[in-house]
Amino acid sequence: GQANASALSVGLDTASAGHKSGTATITLVSDGAGTSELGQTGLGTQTVNVSGDVYRLASASAHSPEPVVLANARVGDLSSQTLSLTNTAANDGFSERLSASIGGQTAGITAVGGFSLLGAGQTSADALRVGLDTSSAGHKSGTATISLLSDGTGTSGFGALAIGTQTVNVSGDVYRLASAS
């Protein structure tokens, strides 16, 4: 009449992504030790069917271009560059999607944008943007940070998981207009 819910377990080999299936066999034995003292008697086997899916995290390429060197600009101009980023995970139906946002810029640099749920093998070429703060003249140099997430929405079903950051190096010069006396 007793049960043991922890001595036997089955699982999936998660060394690679994909659909996994197989069987495990439980060998049953009646053991008379401590009761009838009649020894062990085989009772047959039971087969356990096991299946499930294993997903890999999204994987981000290095952003491009790097470094970002912007053309000369005048005070008040718009000076910016879009960044390209690819989800390099295998496009086989067992990879999560990539999400990214940019921020954390240092003084003199601007950074805006983000994207969500970029599929495996896909590239975002215009959602992330860095630039120069053109409110004043001078040489501008600094960094911005791209934050990356692997997101299982629509694939594995797992929530978003931080998978690192990338630093974007940005520089350029801002000139003021000549002023007549």
Side-chain angles (χ1 to χ4, degrees):
Q2 294 181 341
N4 185 321
S6 62
L8 302 175
S9 65
V10 295
L12 297 175
D13 178 359
T14 60
S16 62
H19 179 73
K20 312 289 181 161
S21 65
T23 60
T25 302
I26 302 172
T27 302
L28 303 168
V29 176
S30 177
D31 190 342
T35 59
S36 68
E37 301 299 330
L38 293 175
Q40 295 184 343
T41 303
L43 298 177
T45 61
Q46 288 184 358
T47 299
V48 179
N49 295 307
V50 182
S51 66
D53 295 327
V54 178
Y55 287 84
R56 70 181 61 80
L57 295 174
S59 180
S61 68
H63 63 275
S64 176
E66 174 60 36
V68 177
V69 180
L70 293 160
N72 292 339
R74 290 187 174 122
V75 171
D77 284 352
L78 176 62
S79 177
S80 67
Q81 168 72 52
T82 57
L83 302 172
S84 177
L85 196 65
T86 300
N87 181 353
T88 59
N91 188 8
D92 61 1
F94 293 96
S95 295
E96 292 189 339
R97 295 179 176 156
L98 180 66
S99 296
S101 61
I102 192 166
Q105 63 272 17
T106 57
I109 305 302
T110 62
V112 296
F115 59 82
S116 297
L117 306 177
L118 184 68
Q122 294 182 336
T123 299
S124 171
D126 59 1
L128 304 172
R129 181 178 295 274
V130 292
L132 300 177
D133 175 357
T134 62
S135 63
S136 63
H139 178 72
K140 312 288 176 127
S141 179
T143 61
T145 302
I146 301 172
S147 298
L148 303 165
L149 299 171
S150 183
D151 193 326
T153 301
T155 59
S156 69
F158 291 115
L161 176 69
I163 57 171
T165 61
Q166 292 183 12
T167 300
V168 183
N169 295 287
V170 184
S171 65
D173 295 319
V174 179
Y175 291 87
R176 67 182 61 81
L177 294 172
S179 179
S181 61

